[in-house]
Amino acid sequence: MARRAGVSAATVSRVLNDSPLVLEPTRERVQAAVDELGYRLNATARNLSIGRAMAIGVVVPFFTAPSVIERLRGVVERLGRGEHREYDLMLFDVEGPEQRGGALRDLARRDRVAGLLIMSLPISDAEVAALERDELPAVLVDGTHPRLPRVVIDNVRGGELAAEHLLVRGHRRIGFVGDHPANPYGFTSSEDRRRGFRNALERAGVESDPALDRLGPHGREEAGELAAALLSLPEPPTAIFAASDLQAIGVLRAAELLNVRVPDELAVIGFDDVDLAEIVGLTTIRQPLREGGALAADLLLAAIDRGGSGVPVEEQQALTVVERRTT
């Protein structure tokens, strides 16, 4: 490329690394040579030459889930701005509990990533100690540890908001569809939302009926089966709170198959406010997913610039009720 552009190899290097020290006519001449020869930067070689990794690692369970996709959009938006456009995204998808142990071990290598975003997965003291030993900055999303920065929501309060919304509309026999608390990933959000939901009902003088709770694996079809069991009771609930929008859509499908009219005979409220919730008219508890991903990326990029995770600040995002046709 240097021969083709009639410049030194050092000048080509400066152009490829966006140095401001190159005059514009020279930059254009080098860029023309780059385009003509089809040259592409080798990321691994560049990392070795500058002595640091230029990728952000994201460890996430079920990255095809709507809520995860929204958070990742926020992360990608931040990585596409300003001086941080040089960072690539390295995704490690945890689809099974057996992958959980290897996720941090494989990604938490200083020569592979400059920092880690860990989404919705609990992290142990030993894993945090390993990150600190390797001086690898990390930020948690939808998870907590006292030694790491984190972006969280108050899931208990979210459950309370769902209950309050239904109570105001006169519902007293209300079901819940969510995740089984004894899950292999250590997820707690569904159980926290159920706890807040039941607490709000009890404060309102509504007796909690364990028979109206249906718990199982996370998924739309599984939620539909759980909801069908509730709707087939001799005295079915008049409303159902689902721990996620994905599960709420399963509830809506079960109601349709059983000819239960929504919202006339059954009110349904979800949690998250993913894109699909608006399309189907689902009332839900909105958490700012994309904003949360962007905020977590900001925290991580700042930690990378400082050279460590820094103060374990906690950013708590506000929750709101978005009312649509299902209630």
Side-chain angles (χ1 to χ4, degrees):
M1 284 188 296
R3 285 195 300 271
R4 184 65 59 94
V7 299
S8 68
T11 297
V12 173
S13 178
R14 283 193 286 271
V15 170
L16 292 175
N17 288 285
D18 293 324
S19 170
L21 303 177
V22 182
L23 295 175
E24 193 58 34
T26 303
R27 184 184 302 277
E28 291 175 357
R29 198 159 70 249
V30 171
Q31 191 58 54
V34 169
D35 295 339
E36 184 179 350
L37 296 173
Y39 177 78
R40 294 295 179 268
L41 269 174
N42 183 305
T44 301
R46 181 167 186 263
N47 291 351
L48 289 171
S49 70
I50 64 177
R52 62 191 176 101
M54 296 305 296
I56 299 297
V58 181
V59 183
V60 62
F62 311 113
F63 84 99
T64 56
S67 60
V68 173
I69 290 172
E70 280 302 301
R71 284 196 176 108
L72 288 174
R73 283 176 176 169
V75 174
V76 171
E77 285 174 2
R78 280 298 189 268
L79 295 185
R81 293 183 181 178
E83 73 272 18
H84 295 122
R85 283 181 298 176
E86 60 190 358
Y87 285 104
D88 295 321
L89 193 68
M90 184 178 292
L91 188 66
F92 194 105
D93 180 32
V94 178
E95 290 286 347
E98 67 281 355
Q99 292 178 298
R100 167 66 184 81
L104 290 180
R105 183 181 62 249
D106 291 344
L107 272 180
R109 288 169 42 195
R110 206 67 169 89
D111 60 337
R112 294 191 69 186
V113 296
L116 281 179
L117 287 175
I118 303 167
M119 293 189 179
S120 302
L121 288 170
I123 185 167
S124 68
D125 291 342
E127 288 168 331
V128 172
L131 293 173
E132 292 171 341
R133 183 189 63 236
D134 294 339
E135 297 181 336
L136 186 65
V139 172
L140 304 179
V141 184
D142 189 30
T144 63
H145 192 282
R147 301 210 301 271
L148 290 179
R150 51 202 177 270
V151 177
V152 298
I153 61 168
D154 186 344
N155 282 299
V156 174
R157 179 56 186 151
E160 292 174 346
L161 289 172
E164 291 164 3
H165 178 80
L166 295 174
L167 287 167
V168 166
R169 280 147 190 78
H171 296 283
R172 293 298 180 269
R173 187 166 175 78
I174 308 173
F176 175 84
V177 170
D179 303 345
H180 198 285
N183 61 80
Y185 301 92
F187 299 150
T188 62
S189 58
S190 176
E191 193 64 13
D192 290 340
R193 292 166 190 175
R194 178 169 74 133
R195 180 156 51 91
F197 180 71
R198 290 302 173 199
N199 288 346
L201 294 184
E202 290 172 9
R203 283 199 302 269
V206 177
E207 185 176 351
S208 183
D209 185 354
L212 296 182
D213 287 353
R214 289 291 189 274
L215 309 176
H218 188 87
R220 186 180 63 188
E221 292 183 2
E222 292 85 349
E225 293 172 359
L226 298 174
L230 280 175
L231 297 175
S232 300
L233 291 172
E235 190 181 350
T238 64
I240 292 178
F241 168 40
S244 71
D245 289 345
L246 186 67
Q247 290 163 308
I249 290 168
V251 174
L252 292 175
R253 177 60 175 159
E256 181 183 17
L257 292 174
L258 294 171
N259 295 314
V260 177
R261 291 174 300 155
V262 176
D264 300 332
E265 297 174 285
L266 177 72
V268 180
I269 184 169
F271 201 111
D272 285 332
D273 197 27
V274 299
D275 289 347
L276 193 55
E278 183 176 7
I279 294 172
V280 302
L282 175 67
T283 296
T284 187
I285 306 301
R286 181 182 188 273
Q287 61 166 316
L289 294 163
R290 188 178 302 194
E291 295 90 333
L295 179 56
D298 285 341
L299 289 174
L300 183 61
L301 291 169
I304 292 170
D305 290 342
R306 287 193 307 267
S309 292
V311 179
V313 61
E314 177 173 289
E315 297 283 354
Q316 188 167 117
Q317 296 184 279
L319 301 171
T320 54
V321 178
V322 180
E323 184 178 2
R324 298 191 180 102
R325 69 171 185 84
T326 60
T327 58

